[in-house]
Amino acid sequence: EVLLLESGGALVQPGGSLRLSCVTSGFTFTSHAMSWVRQAPGKGLEWVSAITDSGDGTYYPDSVKGRFTISRDDFKSTLYLQMNSLRAEDTAVYYCARDSPVLSYWGQGTLVTVSS
Amino acid sequence: EIVMTQSPATLSVSPGERATLSCRASQSVTSNLAWYQQKPGQPPRLLIYGASTRATGIPARFSGSGSGAEFTLTISSLQSEDFAVYYCQQYNKWPPGTFGQGTKVEIK
């Protein structure tokens, strides 16, 4: 069974930083690209970042480019999202998803709230 | 950036009836379109990719059609567990893979 479990969400002040983690199991992590997608409260879905299966390619939309960094630890089958210079508009549930650009399996999400 | 527009915003359907959801792209995305279902308090679930291929474990009552800029998700006979929000996503011009704003399917 494919499992994705996010953690690291918290209340953080504007301008602050946070690192999200996504521990995976049930599949060969090194064979799959991985993604982060977010959903603001009561809103739709927004793709946030992706990383290739080999880790040599990373992708971001303009809304987070230069502030967010996606990475992976293949030994731990874990995906990360380092978020810096956080803004109020980054408030959302952040989902980890397997594969890219089609998002085959999703975790339950972790809530990030940016507020003073 | 390709803009995805879904209609209607809300669809009221009785159990057992057919539901037809639309998704339009601001330019052609060929067949690079996916559909996701999201129930309250749950993450999205992949239903369809390649415009018409059902994902693993998705019941046959879900079908996708279309190509270019016009797409349809059809649920042939709505079950109680199908009441949810449905999102389309284009991935022809990626990144970014843009989503539609969603269609909520509610009980009539």
Side-chain angles (χ1 to χ4, degrees):
Chain A
E1 181 188 8
V2 174
L3 291 176
L4 306 164
L5 183 60
E6 304 92 336
S7 62
L11 171 63
V12 61
Q13 292 190 338
S17 297
L18 210 55
R19 189 176 85 152
L20 305 183
S21 300
C22 172
V23 176
T24 74
S25 62
F27 64 98
T28 304
F29 186 69
T30 53
S31 296
H32 293 270
M34 298 292 296
S35 305
W36 288 98
V37 178
R38 68 184 179 184
Q39 186 170 36
K43 302 297 184 182
L45 302 170
E46 180 187 15
W47 169 75
V48 171
S49 63
I51 187 167
T52 58
D53 54 356
S54 61
D56 60 358
T58 58
Y59 307 91
Y60 308 92
D62 289 344
S63 57
V64 307
K65 196 174 293 182
R67 301 188 299 123
F68 289 12
T69 302
I70 189 173
S71 62
R72 60 192 297 158
D73 184 331
D74 290 343
F75 293 103
K76 295 182 178 179
S77 297
T78 300
L79 180 72
Y80 301 100
L81 185 67
Q82 177 67 43
M83 303 186 295
N84 299 330
S85 303
L86 282 162
R87 307 166 180 167
E89 55 265 34
D90 296 319
T91 294
V93 173
Y94 284 73
Y95 295 103
C96 162
R98 198 192 81 173
D99 299 312
S100 177
V102 176
L103 306 159
S104 304
Y105 294 91
W106 299 59
Q108 291 296 314
T110 187
L111 177 62
V112 173
T113 303
V114 184
S115 175
S116 55
Chain B
E1 179 178 302
I2 297 176
V3 176
M4 307 301 292
T5 303
Q6 292 186 241
S7 62
T10 303
L11 185 63
S12 298
V13 186
S14 299
E17 289 188 340
R18 174 186 296 257
T20 302
L21 290 66
S22 295
C23 176
R24 174 177 293 180
S26 59
Q27 64 187 80
S28 175
V29 297
T30 64
S31 294
N32 292 319
L33 184 107
W35 289 94
Y36 301 87
Q37 175 195 65
Q38 186 176 32
K39 299 178 184 179
Q42 295 187 21
R45 177 176 69 148
L46 176 66
L47 297 177
I48 301 281
Y49 62 94
S52 60
T53 303
R54 280 189 300 277
T56 303
I58 301 304
R61 64 180 181 273
F62 291 92
S63 63
S65 63
S67 64
E70 299 278 350
F71 300 89
T72 300
L73 175 69
T74 302
I75 311 171
S76 59
S77 176
L78 269 161
Q79 307 298 302
S80 57
E81 61 267 30
D82 300 335
F83 293 97
V85 178
Y86 292 82
Y87 295 95
C88 62
Q89 177 213 13
Q90 72 79 23
Y91 52 95
N92 190 62
K93 207 164 192 180
W94 184 96
T98 45
F99 293 90
Q101 81 280 15
T103 290
K104 181 180 180 181
V105 177
E106 64 176 23
I107 299 174
K108 187 174 182 180

